[in-house]
Amino acid sequence: MLMLMVVAAVATMVRAELCRMRTVRTGKVFTTDIKLEGDLLFYAFPNTLVLQNLCKTDITLYLGKKVFLTTNSFESSTLPLTVPESMAVGVPSVTSAHFLPGSVILFVISGKVYSYNFDEHSWRNVEGVTEPVSHISGDTCCFEGSFCLELSNYLFAYLRGGQIPGTNIYFSDNGGFSFQFLHSNQLSHLNGTLGGIFHFHSMSQVGILMVKNDSGTFHYTEHPLNHSMGISFSYKNPLEVIMKPHQRGFLVLWSKTSILVSSNSGQIVEPVQLVKENTFTNLDVESANINIHSIAWNTHELAFFAAEDHLYYGSQSYTGTYIIKLIDDTLWSEDMSIYFENTGMLVVLTPVADPHFVAFDFHKCVVNMQNALMNEDLHLEPCNVELLESAMVNTMFTIDMNSKLKLSALVIPRMNENPIPLVMVSNPHALGFKANFSEFGNTFDGNSKYKLDIELKQQYHWDNSEVNFTSSIKLPAISSITVDIADKTLSCVDLKPLSTLISVGCDMTKKIVVQNKISACTMGILNPVQLQKNYTYSVEWEAYNPVSYDGEAKDDLIVFYQYKDLGCPRLVYYDKPWIPVVELWKNGILEEIMKAEYVISEVNGLITYSYSLTAATANCRSQPQNWSTFESDIEIEQPILWNRENYVSCHEDNQDNPLLWPNVEYQVLGGQTDNRVIFGQRNGIYTFHLSVVDPYYSYCNLHTIFSVYVYGALPVAKFQPLACILLIVGTTLLTVWLAYAIPKQLRTKRGQQLSGFCSLVFQNCLGICTCAWLRGKLRRWLRSRRVKNQPDKVWNTGRKPDFHE
């Protein structure tokens, strides 16, 4: 009997100590003269709210009659937050706040947007918002990398209750540094009151909450949901919209007298289910005379405290949101608020003023929800699963075009239980999957182990959905995947669902490389040592067009060879049609030889090359694009002019661009054609930029730069070859004829007269010459000519010839 009494007493103590209150008081040993400067901020609404930095949960913001910001989860006394009087905010009433990556918070104070850097304790007026707003919305992503940072940078600032059309909506794509007015024709068809506008990254959508006739409806801007809307729901009073963290698509819409939830970004909004003795009923807060004072949430949990009533706790999943009433009023006060410190650990926080110090203390009470749910009075069934784990948690995955991803999870149910696994994706329009659940062994105590295998790829490639259901395959998308137990009981607090984020988009580990098996260095034409020593080469003025301005070149171009980026040039014979061999690499491993369509351009403007195919021989059905199509965008950096986003294939019918000039060059390489590059009669280095334009190969803008050395071309002839041949042949024949005809003619009388005449002319010319030596030489030479040609005249001089002379 005594033992039973002791056990009962211990049970009573445990129940009473589920939430032991403690006071946080630090730094108050000695009195100080610290005074608050500026205007004290306060929350504009009668309830309280605690906001956490989702990526650094120790950084927390309390909104109530005072505003407190902590970087250590309220483990020290804290000064109320003030805004400098120089900011001239007017009434320092806060209607919305949003944490940005880093150390910045955005506040909406009296209809204007301000940023506060809590590391530097500095305030700044955010530019771009010219009309009053009430709220800021954003969906913070906590994975590392530029992709996740880009998601966090997209924000909206809007006036809740503004009339559509008419009210101003502002957006930011730089993390709230500045805002711009939203000009969108996608909102022109909407009519009603604005309840909010949000980036639903979990579905790659922008959602607009419209209110009309006490009814709320979510509308969407992107295909395929832009022609439909969500299911309408009751909206009698303004509702705060909470986007739960980690891009799962979970929403909570609440006010003092209402709470609604959605598990699919607002497509279906429904009430929460109240669990009482194994029965489920829709919770009507207003009918139950419940006034919600504070609300707490994390990815899969939800709790709210009713003023002077009870604490409600539950879990939110794709199968529904179930809550249970836990304890009577022992913690409530007007300044109290609640938030989740960790999974299953709910903190009840109350600021406490100190009459002797400016800094506030805090009463903190941590409720272990797993212990609280073990109360037999709640009549909850024990958790039916012992283990649910996977390596996919806290890891972000990427599925590129035509790729797939395989994941797995381990499930160990409670003995004699048969749990039902649940796999859900938040964006089924972009991401599809196939799952297999199988038994693959036993634990040491004889319990069964199950393995869940999941294969994911783009919904488009599963070929089991309608065209109007799938999102555009050309555009990247985002989706989360969640693995849970469909019939999991409410008491499975510590058994979190397995969830992660998947980007259906560019795989940043991919790159392309142009194959270089035979280079000018290996063949001894160029020296790699010389190429690395600021090697330069010249481009003839007639061989290139300037890339920096329109017009013709006037001087030769001196080019510095970038060996670090280019390596040794590939060796190409000028008279042989050539095409680069492009390799696709992923994580340093060769994946394949790329067969997608791509284009090349010579970065220095060289024009001494052409293409082997025309639009007609490439079998184009519409006019193909070429580099001249983008000449109007010359101010943009050249390598990004022609890419997968603006490429239009000519092998598809296009009524707006029919094939009118079939003989123009077809300047696209790869793909279904055998187009090749033909180099002109010029030896030297060409540096090309290569860009993949095929929109169905990868979401990445794959590009690279490479060089080739063209050899084997003879110098360009300055005259026509046929004319040169005729001239040479004619000259040869004339020379042969003269060699035959002249000696023959000299033996004739006319030839002798001509010879004498020429001799006389030479002698007269010789008299003019003042050089005696040259004159003597010429006379001797002419005399010898006369002796040989006219022997009779020589002998008649009376001098006997000397044959030994």
Side-chain angles (χ1 to χ4, degrees), residues 513-568:
V513 176
V514 177
Q515 198 175 89
N516 190 8
K517 289 186 176 181
I518 301 177
S519 70
C521 297
T522 58
M523 301 302 293
I525 298 176
L526 294 177
N527 188 340
V529 176
Q530 295 296 327
L531 290 176
Q532 298 178 60
K533 295 181 178 180
N534 293 327
Y535 181 81
T536 61
Y537 63 94
S538 63
V539 178
E540 303 80 10
W541 65 269
E542 65 271 12
Y544 78 98
N545 286 334
V547 296
S548 59
Y549 62 91
D550 293 333
E552 296 182 355
K554 298 180 179 179
D555 300 307
D556 291 352
L557 179 67
I558 305 300
V559 179
F560 285 89
Y561 188 77
Q562 304 294 330
Y563 184 84
K564 181 179 179 181
D565 299 325
L566 300 172
C568 281

Side-chain angles (χ1 to χ4, degrees), residues 178 309 419:
S178 63
D309 191 4

Side-chain angles (χ1 to χ4, degrees), residues 9 64 76 113 158 190 194 263 303 318 326 366 380-381 420 446 454 456 498 503 550 617 657 726 739:
S76 62
V113 182
Y158 60 92
L190 301 178
L194 180 64
S263 60
Y318 289 105
L326 285 180
V366 181
L380 293 178
E381 295 181 2
I420 302 173
I454 308 168
L456 300 109
L498 307 175
S503 167
D550 293 333
T617 55
N657 191 26
L726 293 176

Side-chain angles (χ1 to χ4, degrees), residues 258-275:
S258 177
I259 184 166
L260 301 169
V261 292
S262 175
S263 60
N264 47 27
S265 299
Q267 294 183 83
I268 300 176
V269 179
E270 57 189 0
V272 298
Q273 301 288 310
L274 180 64
V275 180

